[in-house]
Amino acid sequence: AGFSTALSQTPSISSISSEGREDLQVNQLETQIWIKPDIQKTDVDFSEILNAIQEIAKDVNIFFDELEGVNSPSKDDDSLLHHGNLTSTSDDASRLEVVGEEVPDKNKTNGLYFRDGKCRIDYILVYRKSNPQTEKREVFERNIRAEGLQMEKESSLTNSDIIFVKLHAPWEVLGKYAELMNVRMPFRRKIYYLHRRYKFMNRIEKQISRFRGWLPRKPMKLDKETLPDLEENDCYTAPFSQQRIHHFIIHNKDTFFNNATRSRIVHHILQRVKYEEGKNKIGLNRLLSNGSYEAAFPLHEGSYRSKNSIKTHGAENHRHLLYECWASWGVWYKYQPLDLVRRYFGEKIGLYFAWLGWYTGMLFPAAFIGLFVFLYGVTTLNHCQVSKEVCQATDIIMCPICDKYCPFMRLSDSCIYAKVTHLFDNGATVFFAVFMAVWATVFLEFWKRRRAVIAYDWDLIDWEEEEEEIRPQFEAKYSKKERMNPISGKPEPYQAFADKCSRLIVSASGIFFMICVVIAAVFGIVIYRVVTVSTFAAFKWALIRNNSQVATTGTAVCINFCIIMLLNVVTSETLTIFFTEQPRTESEWENSFTLKMFLFQFVNLNSSTFYIAFFLGRFTGHPGAYLRLINRWRLEECHPSGCLIDLCMQMGIIMVLKQTWNNFMELGYPLIQNWWTRRKLRQEYGTQGKTNFPQWEKDYNLQPMNAYGLFDEYLEMILQFGFTTIFVAAFPLAPLLALLNNIIEIRLDAYKFVTQWRRPLASRAKDIGIWYGILEGIGILSVITNAFVIAVTSDFIPRLVYAYKYGPCAGQGEAGQKCMVGYVNASLSVFLVSDFENRSEPTSNGSEFSGSPLKYCRYRDYRDPPDSPVPYGYTLQFWHVLAARLAFIIVFEHLVFCIKHLISYLIPDLPKDLRDRMRREKYLIQEMMYEAELERLQKERKERKKNGKSYHNEWP
């Protein structure tokens, strides 16, 4: 009653000046602070009175804000904004300073705090005063203040039209929303225990530890003294609760919630604040999409560079620590500090770098085996009977490989190509193809185990995604039809089934059209190859004329790469967004967009490789009856040494150029943009101007994270994974190139996130999403393609058939090099030169080889000679080879798929020790919560006994 009387005697609000209103709010806050210590000392329950006072104070603040919005000038008015000066504050509590408390000057100058040096900036909003959406911003900011967030505004030092809105969440707001969002926080340190071991095992471990003592200390591990003690990793965690706040380890309320968590809570609030009257006029994303705000981002934690060494003076902030221990090129050989990455950037980005690091680590055995296969080809090169026969075949004259201008050539002229082909197509190739198929399965299965460990360490096991908001595009499109949401029970826009089916058909048709565009581009490359090989054969330079087929392949690959990148830039994103149906939520849209973009990029990147692997030289006909394109151009033939050398060139050039281009676009382009921004600032403000800018100004001048989040990073690595596994039988060095690229890629991405991009919002995720399903699909496709590459593209099966059926060892069950004698001659057919078509007849008659016109030439095929009853018909050896190829494909696929499924069955998704740790932790958490609650009740009982106020029938 006394409090009600005191409040009723306050003067009317309209008659209070601005200073009076501030004093009134200060008095109310002081009343609250004065009452709280006495609650425990008296038996009167003041909780209802305090709640009433807080509600009244909140209403008074809101009413004051409304009066300011009506009676004062607009908050966007130039008269209220000055360069670097405070313009408005949401809560007068932010102006209060406790007597005797000194604020460090560093907090006031580093750009991470409000001007009072106490309130840390948790989020930044940016808009332009010239933007006409003033009313929406005012309503939005007024509702932000009503939620309890504190606010300051400052104009930009470089452009007075740009306004920065700084937001700070007080402890009460953080606690309230942390409880609503089920944010897990540490409450008790972990108890580590060791399994019981036998004495024999203990002795062995002691001997191993002594042996390790002689070895160098693990150079790949980071120095523990450099990394901070991340408390949440050494403590048991539980969802935050204000009622059980005494259970949690709170040394300092300002640092209890880390900066990433604070920004995530503020973003959660901003996504649920209204900016206009209406059912769906809510959320920051809609204001960003309609241009009310230009940007929204959390701040980096200061500069990533320091004048002092991190070893002697320590890290100045987490950003500086990440740069020194993660993004610096000097630590390229060390493990990533994933816990620190997760703390700074959030679980979603942390999972990407964890997956990238795991993928890179798993590439080590694949790269080693691939290099071994290549070196095996090098060491056995001089013992290869096929290469010897090709190099010694000076008397075998091959038919021209193109019309008119291509000359006859000796088979021995392709000696170098035969040796290079042996480096990739040797006896170890089949083993490597099986190994890579198994490797892909092991990689995915062990990643699931690794992800489970990470999810446990990062408290993601029981995390579930919140009910997502409806996309503004979906809402605008289907706002007329509504139905009840089964989860929230609220009406929401609804898309009819017929409309969904029609959009799905249009989307599928669009993707099919895009794939047809890619096939048309490949068709153009094929025409280029068949036309250019004749042009290079008639070239005046002897080097190009003698290597016309290699020159054709090299230039075609480079042109193909340019077309791939052009289609990626011009066609893919625009058409994919256009042909993507209207999903209801952002995650559904992201999954649909990801699948379509991957399909297009995969077909765009690999279509020409599929053509060379499975179609080049397969449907050309034979001399005298060539198959022609549009009855004009003769289809391209393989080199006398086979088509594998073309496939190797295609994969090697595309892989190197693609990875180089991606690395430039990822880092080079942001570097150039940021350099240009710094250059303009230096010209206008001098060399010292940039260093004096506040942190929000520096971050605003950085590049924002791309609109698709981690899509580009994942897409690049998934496409590389496909290149590494799908055609690995033809190019065993692909894993080695991927490994070298990924070692650079990790540091490039780290450098980009730490130094070149604004700090992204820390978001949570349990896994890598739809990308895991795509990886499984690529693993299945790789088994099929490698089976066809070995059976169709390489000469493995023809050599095997010759060794067991037609060679010197036929019927003996042997297949060594001595059994391959005569293989080259047996794989070539004879053609009568006089049977050439008029348009295919070469200009030279081959008299330069023997002094007289050639009568016969040879070509790669299994056909009867011209004097047989059926000239140029298929021989029995051709059908044996074809049957062996089909049988190999079936046996290889079934064998590898059985091994893959067996490995998947034998490797559990959750490690046994992790399962035991989870069960024990669940048990310990229950015991600790019970003990903490019991301890609290016992303390309360003792206090009541001291005050003489004990109650009957108390528990315990």
Side-chain angles (χ1 to χ4, degrees), residues 80-148:
L80 296 178
L81 297 173
H82 304 282
H83 291 289
N85 290 335
L86 175 66
T87 58
S88 69
T89 326
S90 70
D91 212 337
D92 291 324
S94 64
R95 301 193 186 106
L96 295 176
E97 296 186 4
V98 180
V99 178
E101 181 181 352
E102 295 183 0
V103 179
D105 294 335
K106 185 179 180 181
N107 289 358
K108 296 183 178 181
T109 58
N110 61 10
L112 299 175
Y113 291 82
F114 279 15
R115 295 188 64 81
D116 59 5
K118 299 178 184 177
C119 301
R120 189 177 187 91
I121 300 173
D122 298 321
Y123 212 79
I124 291 290
L125 302 177
V126 186
Y127 69 88
R128 293 181 180 271
K129 289 191 294 182
S130 57
N131 189 283
Q133 306 283 351
T134 304
E135 185 177 353
K136 292 181 181 179
R137 282 197 304 271
E138 288 184 1
V139 175
F140 185 71
E141 292 170 5
R142 188 160 59 245
N143 290 331
I144 288 175
R145 292 193 294 270
E147 289 290 336

Side-chain angles (χ1 to χ4, degrees), residues 875-895:
T875 63
L876 184 62
Q877 187 176 358
F878 168 82
W879 299 109
H880 284 163
V881 171
L882 180 62
R885 281 173 169 169
L886 295 177
F888 175 83
I889 290 172
I890 295 172
V891 172
F892 181 88
E893 288 180 356
H894 283 73
L895 176 64

Side-chain angles (χ1 to χ4, degrees), residues 845-862:
N845 57 8
S847 58
E848 63 271 14
F849 296 103
S850 59
S852 60
L854 284 177
K855 188 176 180 181
Y856 297 100
C857 65
R858 310 293 292 273
Y859 62 98
R860 282 174 56 94
D861 210 341
Y862 297 100

